[in-house]
Amino acid sequence: KQEVTQIPAALSVPEGENLVLNCSFTDSAIYNLQWFRQDPGKGLTSLLLIQSSQREQTSGRLNASLDKSSGRSTLYIAASQPGDSATYLCAVGTYWTGGSYIPTFGRGTSLIVHP
Amino acid sequence: IAGITQAPTSQILAAGRRMTLRCTQDMRHNAMYWYRQDLGLGLRLIHYSNTAGTTGKGEVPDGYSVSRANTDDFPLTLASAVPSQTSVYFCASSAGGPDNEQFFGPGTRLTVL
């Protein structure tokens, strides 16, 4: 069974800092990894998707990397802003029996960026 | 606007009552999912469907049932609600396959008393 861990569970930083959020997984036979953002009381918003054959993806100030062999992904946030405050979740896509593609979620990193 | 809608937004329900949470997507996605999100436990998969007419059990399926009569709709039914089913429920969809993102609805907050 795939297990996904996100460290740290919570993070509070001043505006302008560069951040690294970590996601580790136990089964390296994954098909993709997706990073999400969740604002309080809201649904999840997709940030980046990395396919298993890729090493990284970039979108604006966000960069996500994937190292399947070590079971790790990092989300790098450059020049953090108060609007980045949210919970960040990673979801690791794993093959289930019967050919289904099922994401397993970590518990998230709660980020606060203060002015 | 393309996306996923869920209804109701929130609901307070007496224990023992039957409840159906609705989910509709207009992206023609093959795969759909139901999750529950609880503090300290994260998102847990309840049921999923790879395509219309098929469903599968997730991590926490007991007490819940689903159907997938067509591509767009994926209702989740609680046959006899219990307090431990108090949670926030999210529906999600994906085109399916390894190179497709998963998209989420806004959620239903359910309280069972």
Side-chain angles (χ1 to χ4, degrees):
Chain A
K1 177 187 173 187
Q2 180 72 270
E3 294 183 4
V4 181
T5 303
Q6 291 188 246
I7 295 173
L11 190 59
S12 179
V13 300
E15 182 176 6
E17 278 203 6
N18 299 324
L19 308 172
V20 175
L21 307 183
N22 297 292
C23 173
S24 62
F25 46 93
T26 55
D27 183 353
S28 61
I30 69 171
Y31 64 88
N32 67 21
L33 187 145
Q34 193 170 355
W35 282 94
F36 292 88
R37 167 188 175 132
Q38 185 175 28
D39 293 290
K42 304 292 185 182
L44 280 68
T45 301
S46 178
L47 297 173
L48 290 164
L49 173 74
I50 309 177
Q51 297 179 45
S52 62
S53 59
Q54 298 174 325
R55 293 299 300 262
E56 66 177 343
Q57 283 286 337
T58 298
S59 176
R61 294 183 293 108
L62 305 179
N63 175 276
S65 66
L66 174 64
D67 184 342
K68 278 202 317 178
S69 60
S70 66
R72 293 182 182 178
S73 176
T74 60
L75 179 66
Y76 177 82
I77 303 175
S80 58
Q81 303 170 358
D84 294 331
S85 299
T87 297
Y88 291 81
L89 298 106
C90 73
V92 179
T94 310
Y95 295 103
W96 279 26
T97 56
S100 301
Y101 302 95
I102 303 295
T104 301
F105 282 80
R107 297 185 182 182
T109 293
S110 177
L111 173 65
I112 296 175
V113 181
H114 48 86
Chain B
I1 298 176
I4 301 175
T5 57
Q6 292 186 237
T9 301
S10 65
Q11 182 76 45
I12 299 174
L13 189 66
R17 297 294 297 269
R18 180 184 179 89
M19 176 74 190
T20 296
L21 308 185
R22 300 184 298 278
C23 174
T24 299
Q25 53 103 357
D26 62 2
M27 298 175 281
R28 307 302 293 171
H29 283 170
N30 285 324
M32 296 188 75
Y33 313 82
W34 274 107
Y35 295 89
R36 59 178 290 174
Q37 187 175 37
D38 303 285
L39 273 175
L41 296 176
L43 275 159
R44 293 181 292 168
L45 182 67
I46 304 171
H47 285 287
Y48 65 94
S49 170
N50 288 331
T51 188
T54 69
T55 61
K57 293 182 179 180
E59 183 183 356
V60 288
D62 294 343
Y64 305 95
S65 64
V66 292
S67 62
R68 187 88 185 275
N70 57 60
T71 297
D72 299 342
D73 301 300
F74 191 42
L76 176 73
T77 298
L78 289 67
S80 178
V82 295
S84 61
Q85 292 178 311
T86 294
S87 186
V88 180
Y89 291 85
F90 288 103
C91 178
S93 73
S94 167
D99 56 350
N100 293 290
E101 294 175 88
Q102 197 178 36
F103 295 91
F104 277 74
T108 293
R109 183 174 296 275
L110 181 67
T111 302
V112 182
L113 302 176

